[in-house]
Amino acid sequence: ILTLNKISKTGLERFTDEYQYGDAVENPQGIMVRSASMHEMEMPQSLLAIARAGAGVNNIPVDQCTEKGIVVFNTPGANANAVKELVLAGLLISSRKVTQGMAWAQGLKGQGDAAVEKGKSAFVGPEIKGKKLGVIGLGAIGILVANAARSLGMEVHGYDPYISVDSAWGLSRAVKHSLTLDDIFETCDYITVHVPQTPDTKNMINKDSIAKMKDGVRILNFARGGLVNSADVVAAIEAGKVAAYVTDFPSDDLLGVDGVIAIPHLGASTPESEDNCARMAADELMAYLSDGNIINSVNFPALSSPRAAGCSRVCVFHKNIPSMLSQVTKLLSDKGVNIENMQSKSRKDVAYTVLDCAGQVGQDALESLVDSEGIIRIRVISA
């Protein structure tokens, strides 16, 4: 395992004795990375998987990895509590003008206590209790934020058309279900976004959506910078429409703007979060490298299956096209390979098939698979 950043010791200690790791490993089968950019890195032929100790994978060339059959993992939820706590801090400092007041107080040295009392009225702000908070995206972080805000006495409205069953179970029954984004925009005093950045969500907070919001709305973004159109939110602040914008992604055009509270991407910057992410990343790599099981991949489907006793496991990455499974099984059976168990899952244009085959699988059988149309990569884990 090649480490491209300093990885938490508690994560590295998860690796069992058969694994070697470090920042000078040659021909690695796996890579653990945090923030290092891999876009210019030449991927070694030996590389099977990359685990990002964090949620975002914009520092990894995911499309290139998919073409080569390299599984890319992330660690969703591992930093959720850390981000939740910073969002709660963001709610409070967006209301009470704490950061502005602190900066002002630093200039009062030598002016006496009376100066503090005289100027503090400039930093008056409302309490959050009883106010309406809109949470857009009810994944691991959004749910924690919604539940915590409820406990603080806020009226919480949640919007997520793709909420999972597990997430729904974890959401407080007191959170109100919003059927549309417009319901959030039109109803809430505070709005926080917790969705991935995709072509559909990029600039979802813009001049049109802001126009639907309440005057004096406070917007929080601890998900991805591109979800909010910076120019539009600055214009709305200057016009008095938006009271505050709290962001963990301070682009240059946001810095120095009165009403923008810029935080230097501290959402997951806690020792607990780094430990959690590293442990999850290590477990994902071991599950895949040892048994071919895929958990939390961003480019291939999730598939986990116990190993059949005495069997070699053939892992097949292939295009998601008709007749691929029958093609694979026929080629193996023609070479005298007995398939004991098989599972297959697809994800958009690609698919992943795992076959447990009795005994060892001969080289001629593997070569027949590799040469087949639609095959991306073949990997064998010996019995």
Side-chain angles (χ1 to χ4, degrees):
I1 308 298
L2 173 65
T3 56
L4 296 185
N5 295 100
K6 183 180 179 181
I7 303 296
S8 164
K9 182 180 178 182
T10 62
L12 297 176
E13 288 175 346
R14 304 284 283 193
F15 289 116
T16 50
D17 292 340
E18 65 264 34
Y19 288 89
Q20 296 179 339
Y21 56 82
D23 58 7
V25 172
E26 296 183 0
N27 300 317
Q29 291 181 296
I31 288 177
M32 289 186 76
V33 61
R34 289 173 58 201
S35 58
S37 176
M38 298 181 63
H39 287 281
E40 303 303 321
M41 178 179 175
E42 184 175 346
M43 303 294 175
Q45 196 69 28
S46 60
L47 186 61
L48 300 172
I50 300 167
R52 159 80 164 98
V57 291
N58 56 317
N59 58 322
I60 301 171
V62 176
D63 290 343
Q64 178 186 338
C65 291
T66 303
E67 292 171 2
K68 295 184 176 184
I70 299 170
V71 184
V72 180
F73 297 99
N74 68 346
T75 55
N79 59 12
N81 185 71
V83 178
K84 175 209 75 177
E85 291 186 359
L86 198 60
V87 173
L88 296 180
L91 279 171
L92 296 168
I93 62 179
S94 72
S95 275
R96 302 293 294 275
K97 298 185 180 180
V98 175
T99 55
Q100 300 96 316
M102 291 171 63
W104 173 76
Q106 291 299 313
L108 299 180
K109 185 73 173 177
Q111 297 185 34
D113 296 344
V116 173
E117 292 298 324
K118 185 177 180 180
K120 70 179 184 180
S121 60
F123 308 104
V124 170
E127 299 177 16
I128 64 172
K129 183 179 180 180
K131 305 302 188 301
K132 296 176 181 178
L133 170 67
V135 181
I136 301 173
L138 295 168
I141 297 170
I143 281 180
L144 292 182
V145 170
N147 291 347
R150 228 4 238 123
S151 298
L152 292 173
M154 301 190 80
E155 180 182 310
V156 181
H157 298 247
Y159 172 80
D160 191 335
Y162 308 108
I163 187 170
S164 69
V165 173
D166 287 343
S167 294
W169 276 108
L171 188 64
S172 168
R173 293 177 61 186
V175 174
K176 299 179 184 296
H177 179 204
S178 291
L179 296 176
T180 66
L181 276 174
D182 283 355
D183 181 45
I184 295 286
F185 295 150
E186 296 166 4
T187 302
C188 296
D189 307 295
Y190 301 76
I191 296 173
T192 180
V193 289
H194 299 284
V195 299
Q197 184 175 314
T198 68
D200 291 334
T201 61
K202 185 174 175 60
N203 288 326
M204 67 185 299
I205 304 297
N206 55 48
K207 62 181 180 181
D208 294 330
S209 56
I210 291 172
K212 299 173 183 177
M213 298 178 190
K214 287 183 171 183
D215 291 343
V217 66
R218 291 167 168 85
I219 301 169
L220 297 91
N221 180 12
F222 289 83
R224 282 291 177 267
L227 298 173
V228 176
N229 185 298
S230 297
D232 289 353
V233 81
V234 168
I237 289 171
E238 292 173 347
K241 177 71 175 181
V242 172
Y245 175 49
V246 187
T247 179
D248 207 21
F249 310 94
S251 56
D252 190 70
D253 55 341
L254 293 170
L255 298 177
V257 176
D258 189 25
V260 173
I261 301 172
I263 300 172
H265 203 183
L266 298 181
S269 296
T270 68
E272 295 88 350
S273 174
E274 292 181 9
D275 288 348
N276 290 340
C277 289
R279 282 193 291 262
M280 185 182 290
D283 289 347
E284 291 165 350
L285 281 177
M286 286 192 293
Y288 176 65
L289 295 177
S290 296
D291 292 314
N293 291 327
I294 294 180
I295 306 166
N296 294 327
S297 171
V298 301
N299 62 338
F300 284 103
L303 192 158
S304 294
S305 175
R307 295 278 298 277
C311 287
S312 297
R313 173 158 282 189
V314 180
C315 305
V316 184
F317 295 91
H318 57 88
K319 300 292 184 183
N320 184 22
I321 54 179
S323 304
M324 277 302 305
L325 291 181
S326 60
Q327 176 181 317
V328 169
T329 54
K330 184 178 187 304
L331 286 170
L332 289 175
S333 61
D334 286 349
K335 298 296 183 179
V337 176
N338 184 36
I339 300 171
E340 299 280 355
N341 185 41
M342 180 179 76
Q343 283 202 39
S344 184
K345 293 287 182 66
S346 63
R347 180 173 183 164
K348 296 183 179 179
D349 297 331
V350 296
Y352 180 55
T353 299
V354 167
L355 306 102
D356 287 337
C357 305
Q360 301 299 326
V361 180
Q363 188 62 31
D364 58 338
L366 298 177
E367 290 176 355
S368 68
L369 285 177
V370 171
D371 294 337
S372 300
E373 184 179 355
I375 297 294
I376 298 172
R377 189 171 194 168
I378 303 290
R379 177 177 173 234
V380 178
I381 305 172
S382 299

